[in-house]
Amino acid sequence: MKDSGDKMRMKRIWAGVAALGLTAAASAAVAAPARPTPYWASISQDEARMRVGPSLDYPSNWVYRRRDLPVKVVQVLGQWRKVEDPDGVQGWMHVRLLSDTATAIVRAGEAPMRESASDGARTLFRAERGVVGRLSDCGGGWCAIDVHGQRGYVKASDLWGATDK
């Protein structure tokens, strides 16, 4: 009698282990990225560490203190993203440090922010190299950009970031 009770307990344990395995597999499928790499992201925190490998066990090689800085995601491994920054530096960031918000950084020495998407449009502001802004639309070689409430159109060629929309 005791043997059949032990067998039933073992079957329940194995059934529980199998259910946990299926749940883990389903969670991994949900966490898998829906889009192919590379794709654009931006830093979502005031401070974000880039690591040399995809784990907290790896040391940081850079600490970014620039929310909205655009990065290009070049590889995905679980909850970690291998990213490239505007200077070409690559490393790993946890997905919670990143956002899908479309941003760009000015790469030209100075980029006029115009009233409309045209070379002849009135210049509203001038954005210096290194200025980061949020993009709302890009097309026809121009991007609508918002830099802390100052809005205008900048040539896409003067920017690095999510300009290939």
Side-chain angles (χ1 to χ4, degrees):
M1 253 350 224
K2 184 177 181 187
D3 287 332
S4 82
D6 288 342
K7 286 181 184 179
M8 287 301 286
R9 255 188 247 117
M10 287 303 292
K11 284 183 182 180
R12 284 189 198 135
I13 290 172
W14 282 113
V17 169
L20 284 174
L22 289 173
T23 302
S27 296
V30 169
R35 56 188 166 173
T37 55
Y39 64 88
W40 294 103
S42 56
I43 295 177
S44 66
Q45 305 294 315
D46 291 327
E47 182 176 293
R49 293 182 181 276
M50 178 186 279
R51 297 185 178 275
V52 298
S55 164
L56 292 174
D57 295 333
Y58 287 95
S60 300
N61 54 347
W62 289 99
V63 178
Y64 295 88
R65 291 185 173 93
R66 192 139 193 215
R67 181 185 296 261
D68 287 342
L69 183 73
V71 293
K72 185 185 290 186
V73 176
V74 296
Q75 187 177 348
V76 173
L77 184 61
Q79 295 295 307
W80 291 87
R81 305 294 183 260
K82 186 174 188 181
V83 300
E84 181 178 321
D85 75 9
D87 294 321
V89 175
Q90 290 191 357
W92 293 87
M93 286 189 174
H94 195 275
V95 70
R96 74 181 178 341
L97 299 173
L98 301 174
S99 167
D100 289 333
T101 302
T103 65
I105 186 169
V106 174
R107 298 304 285 173
E110 183 178 84
M113 293 175 64
R114 301 196 180 269
E115 191 171 43
S116 63
S118 166
D119 283 320
R122 183 171 64 105
T123 298
L124 302 172
F125 309 100
R126 296 187 185 281
E128 294 182 356
R129 181 178 180 84
V131 167
V132 172
R134 291 184 177 206
L135 302 176
S136 57
D137 187 35
C138 290
W142 291 86
C143 290
I145 190 167
D146 180 326
V147 179
H148 302 293
Q150 296 176 330
R151 294 179 180 90
Y153 291 85
V154 174
K155 284 187 176 180
S157 59
D158 290 343
L159 302 171
W160 187 90
T163 58
D164 58 350
K165 291 191 145 202

